[in-house]
Amino acid sequence: MAEKILMKGNEAIAYAAINCGCDGYFGYPITPQSEVMETLMKEKPWESTGMVVLQAESETASINMVYGGACCGKKVMTSSSSPGISLMCEGISYLAGSELPCLVVNVMRGGPGLGTIQPSQGDYFQATKGGGHGDYRTIVLAPASAQDMYDFVDLAFELAFKYRNPVMILGDGVIGQMMEKVELRPSKPRRTEAEIRELCSSWATIGKTADRPANTITSLALQADVQERFNIKLQKKYAEVEANEVRYSTYKCEDADHLIVAFGCMSRICENVVEIARENGIKLGILRPITLFPYPKDALNALVPQLKSIMSVELNAGQMVEDIKLVADGRVPVSFYGRQGGVVPSPEEIYDAFVKTIK
Amino acid sequence: MDIKDIIKPENKVYGRTPLLKDAILHYCPGCSHGVVHKIIAEVIEEMGIQDKTIGISPVGCSVFAYNYIDIDWQQAAHGRAPALATATKRLMPDKYVFTYQGDGDLASIGTAEIMHACNRGENIVVIFINNAIYGMTGGQMAPTTLLGQVTATTPYGRKAELNGYPLKITELIAQLEGTCYVTRQSVQNPGAVRKTKKAIQKAFENSMMKKGTSFVEVVSTCNSGWKIPPVQANKWMEDNMFPFYPLGDMKDR
């Protein structure tokens, strides 16, 4: 049986990075995710796998170090929390605009502004609709456990290199700080120089050899038609991601009359809401989007005909609910319940809010 | 004797390095960028490190440096080139990594990145083109614009009380423990070109010796931004910039 270790979600990110052959981590301390870099520094992976770990002077520098590392075909990542991610958004736009693979972990806290250091899901719009400037998308994975934090690191790198696109793990302060048992996976070695050359030689800046023209990584196109052609290519890629990479899970949806849609820590809390509802004779189920982009539109759409109501439960003022309404398209009432500023609701509180919507 | 008798391979004393691509430079006539590009290309060719060199271009006129020197390039967001270089060199320590940055990029929006990369002693080369103006955007004030200098955003001349003082960032960089070689050069005549070439070659060599960051400032002309023809621009630079930005090595260890 695989080894299980009790750890925080943030620590799981660090151990997973070392374990899955990550080449470099660049970060800046911010609560509630500082354990990611602290764990890496304690583990000293540069002595074991050769992974580079560097504390940068700012989130701006961190994401641009990620940009530089990604240019070299390396598996590179950063982690931060909401205000820091705002600073990184310029860089994420450049990464998307230069079609570079990387992992950005956001352990969300309450905002806007400096906000709180308590958990939040207030960055849903920022993560799924852009954040930085221009027409781009990041692939967004929403972990609901420390195990997810661990497993999604490897998955994120797979997706990042498959589509040459930034991937974000959108966690929150609950998932980052909570300690759970995490099952460790078989380790993957870091890619060798020869493997990187074979995989990325057509685009990466790993030194121009005689057998190929020089590679330039840039997101600059001064001519309008050139930029438009590139943007159309990007949109095609995002359509491919939407067709192939949707991930979600359902809980007691088979006979459900009512549905809660919740991601991350809220999907865990809402499992208890389902139990309370069913004890009271109400057939309630949960759809948990695991990828927030691409959004599980088809799965939600398939459930709509059997439903009398949908409620979105989020740790924000109502962000994902807009995507649910687009899918429901007026066929079924869609309500929202959320708490903000770092307040996490209890299952009973959510159940009470839910019951009011169906009366 | 006809000119055709003279133009023969055996009489050739100078040629363009093949590392400088056969592309028409977008730089204005008289601009220093083209000369510095040529120097870098020659140094890379002479050191035989084309397959081991990664250049990082900035935002500004030299954003298109990648169109001219035949190596792998990364194009950075405004001011962030030293962050890209940091990761690139740490992840590929056997590569020669250099940034090429103007004064707006390096000494204004990118001050944090350049100071910290130099202070960490990243084993990279920084080529800093200081022409005391923003060229690409049409001649606005740069952090290095001299007091009294007229630009698009200092139409009555730079005034300390309104705009602050010109920033001698290279002097600051020289104070940082992480730098091993800090020098200020120019390229307005053959002698200066030769000195700058030596400086850039030394900087590239340093980057493999784990000595820290090498920083080469090149005081440069911007005829379009200054609105001065090339020959007079060289004179204006010598008369006005050199007294405030004196040439020579500030640190070499």
Side-chain angles (χ1 to χ4, degrees):
Chain A
M1 204 179 109
E3 194 180 0
K4 282 187 181 177
I5 294 179
L6 187 68
M7 63 174 86
K8 286 186 177 189
N10 287 336
E11 292 167 334
I13 293 280
Y15 287 117
I18 299 168
N19 193 62
C20 78
C22 176
D23 294 303
Y25 172 95
F26 307 91
Y28 186 77
I30 183 171
T31 308
Q33 64 76 54
S34 296
E35 294 87 354
V36 179
M37 186 162 47
E38 287 170 8
T39 304
L40 288 168
M41 289 297 186
K42 192 182 65 166
E43 290 297 321
K44 297 193 279 186
W46 52 90
E47 289 181 359
S48 52
T49 71
M51 176 184 176
V52 169
V53 186
L54 183 63
Q55 179 169 340
E57 64 270 29
S58 66
E59 287 91 349
T60 305
S62 304
I63 194 69
N64 283 284
M65 289 172 184
V66 165
Y67 184 100
C71 284
C72 307
K74 300 281 185 179
K75 286 163 89 167
V76 285
M77 65 180 290
T78 184
S79 66
S80 189
S81 181
S82 308
I85 298 291
S86 292
L87 273 173
M88 290 185 185
C89 280
E90 177 200 41
I92 297 172
S93 171
Y94 273 73
L95 282 148
S98 302
E99 291 198 276
L100 290 173
C102 74
L103 166 60
V104 178
V105 180
N106 181 2
V107 182
M108 287 182 282
R109 62 189 241 182
L114 198 51
T116 72
I117 58 169
Q118 309 299 327
S120 166
Q121 296 179 326
D123 305 345
Y124 177 90
F125 281 153
Q126 185 193 55
T128 62
K129 313 294 180 192
H133 57 284
D135 278 312
Y136 77 91
R137 298 282 190 162
T138 49
I139 298 170
V140 183
L141 303 168
S145 63
Q147 186 72 56
D148 282 350
M149 291 283 256
Y150 186 92
D151 290 340
F152 285 2
V153 173
D154 187 38
L155 172 64
F157 279 122
E158 293 292 323
L159 293 171
F161 275 85
K162 184 174 176 187
Y163 295 98
R164 272 181 61 193
N165 203 69
V167 176
M168 180 177 280
I169 293 180
L170 189 68
D172 56 63
V174 174
I175 302 300
Q177 292 297 326
M178 184 169 59
M179 290 189 88
E180 291 188 293
K181 274 190 282 187
V182 173
E183 184 179 326
L184 306 185
R185 309 298 185 196
S187 68
K188 287 184 183 178
R190 286 175 55 234
R191 286 190 193 127
T192 62
E193 202 172 313
E195 285 168 336
I196 291 172
R197 203 163 277 282
E198 195 184 325
L199 202 69
C200 310
S201 181
S202 64
W203 57 270
T205 56
I206 47 181
K208 184 215 172 303
T209 42
D211 58 347
R212 66 158 170 86
N215 288 336
T216 297
I217 308 271
T218 180
S219 55
L220 176 65
L222 285 184
Q223 288 162 288
D225 59 328
V226 175
Q227 183 71 52
E228 187 184 48
R229 269 204 302 281
F230 175 74
N231 283 13
I232 289 168
K233 182 184 153 209
L234 274 188
Q235 293 303 319
K236 277 187 187 153
K237 178 167 82 176
Y238 302 147
E240 204 184 315
V241 170
E242 289 203 84
N244 298 325
E245 305 302 342
V246 170
R247 286 165 173 80
Y248 63 94
S249 67
T250 56
Y251 183 66
K252 300 196 175 173
C253 281
E254 297 76 17
D255 63 344
D257 296 325
H258 304 276
L259 185 72
I260 281 178
V261 184
F263 68 95
C265 69
M266 292 315 295
S267 67
R268 296 272 294 273
I269 292 170
C270 287
E271 285 181 17
N272 291 356
V273 181
V274 168
E275 302 315 326
I276 300 169
R278 290 195 173 250
E279 281 164 19
N280 287 282
I282 302 169
K283 290 177 181 169
L284 179 63
I286 301 174
L287 174 72
R288 173 202 163 200
I290 294 172
T291 50
L292 300 179
F293 179 81
Y295 198 74
K297 294 176 192 168
D298 292 344
L300 180 58
N301 190 50
L303 285 168
V304 166
Q306 78 185 58
L307 297 174
K308 293 177 183 150
S309 82
I310 302 176
M311 186 164 85
S312 184
V313 182
E314 308 171 47
L315 284 183
N316 57 41
Q319 299 190 14
M320 182 179 68
V321 65
E322 293 189 4
D323 287 330
I324 298 167
K325 282 180 177 172
L326 280 172
V327 175
D329 201 19
R331 290 173 292 167
V332 58
V334 178
S335 64
F336 166 76
Y337 186 73
R339 295 297 299 267
Q340 298 176 61
V343 180
V344 181
S346 68
E348 292 76 16
E349 178 185 342
I350 298 166
Y351 177 72
D352 290 345
F354 162 70
V355 167
K356 277 180 200 155
T357 67
I358 61 167
K359 271 185 179 162
Chain B
M1 186 188 274
D2 191 73
I3 186 127
K4 284 178 188 152
D5 298 326
I6 299 168
I7 303 175
K8 286 178 179 167
E10 60 267 31
N11 289 335
K12 185 175 171 182
V13 292
Y14 177 82
R16 177 176 57 82
T17 162
L19 260 77
L20 206 55
K21 291 186 197 171
D22 194 10
I24 296 168
L25 292 170
H26 73 289
Y27 301 116
C28 308
C31 168
S32 308
H33 275 307
V35 181
V36 181
H37 282 20
K38 184 203 76 162
I39 292 171
I40 294 170
E42 285 179 353
V43 166
I44 294 170
E45 188 207 356
E46 287 162 21
M47 290 176 71
I49 55 172
Q50 182 187 24
D51 60 338
K52 296 187 191 71
T53 304
I54 315 295
I56 300 167
S57 77
V59 169
C61 287
S62 49
V63 63
F64 289 120
Y66 53 73
N67 284 337
Y68 308 123
I69 303 177
D70 194 19
I71 54 168
D72 282 356
W73 282 92
Q74 305 170 2
Q75 195 276 304
H78 202 11
R80 316 300 175 217
L84 276 65
T86 294
T88 300
K89 180 67 178 178
R90 286 191 181 227
L91 289 160
M92 301 194 301
D94 62 326
K95 298 292 190 288
Y96 294 81
V97 180
F98 76 95
T99 71
Y100 188 104
Q101 303 176 260
D103 41 76
D105 193 84
L106 182 144
S108 187
I109 196 168
T111 43
E113 282 76 14
I114 192 64
M115 296 298 276
H116 285 278
C118 288
N119 196 48
R120 284 190 301 264
E122 301 295 344
N123 292 298
I124 58 171
V125 177
V126 177
I127 311 290
F128 169 41
I129 305 297
N130 175 11
N131 56 16
I133 207 157
Y134 282 78
M136 184 67 129
T137 45
Q140 294 84 8
M141 181 186 73
T144 46
T145 293
L146 299 172
L147 287 177
Q149 190 181 337
V150 172
T151 72
T153 50
T154 54
Y156 308 107
R158 181 175 189 162
K159 291 183 176 68
E161 60 272 27
L162 183 63
N163 310 112
Y165 296 90
L167 181 58
K168 293 184 175 182
I169 195 153
T170 306
E171 277 80 350
L172 290 174
I173 296 288
Q175 300 302 313
L176 303 175
E177 288 298 325
T179 51
C180 64
Y181 178 50
V182 180
T183 188
R184 183 183 283 129
Q185 301 293 335
S186 63
V187 291
Q188 81 282 20
N189 58 47
V193 168
R194 277 196 287 274
K195 280 188 191 167
T196 300
K197 186 171 173 181
K198 268 189 188 159
I200 289 176
Q201 178 160 350
K202 176 188 266 201
F204 271 82
E205 286 164 358
N206 282 345
S207 71
M208 280 300 160
M209 295 157 75
K210 296 188 176 167
K211 291 164 75 176
T213 312
S214 294
F215 188 101
V216 181
E217 174 181 342
V218 184
V219 180
S220 300
T221 52
C222 178
N223 320 103
S224 304
W226 296 354
K227 305 194 188 330
I228 306 175
V231 176
Q232 286 97 309
N234 280 343
K235 173 120 185 23
W236 189 90
M237 176 175 72
E238 288 171 354
D239 292 347
N240 296 279
M241 288 185 70
F242 289 179
F244 192 77
Y245 299 115
L247 305 187
D249 290 352
M250 286 174 221
K251 186 185 210 175
D252 185 6
R253 69 179 182 202

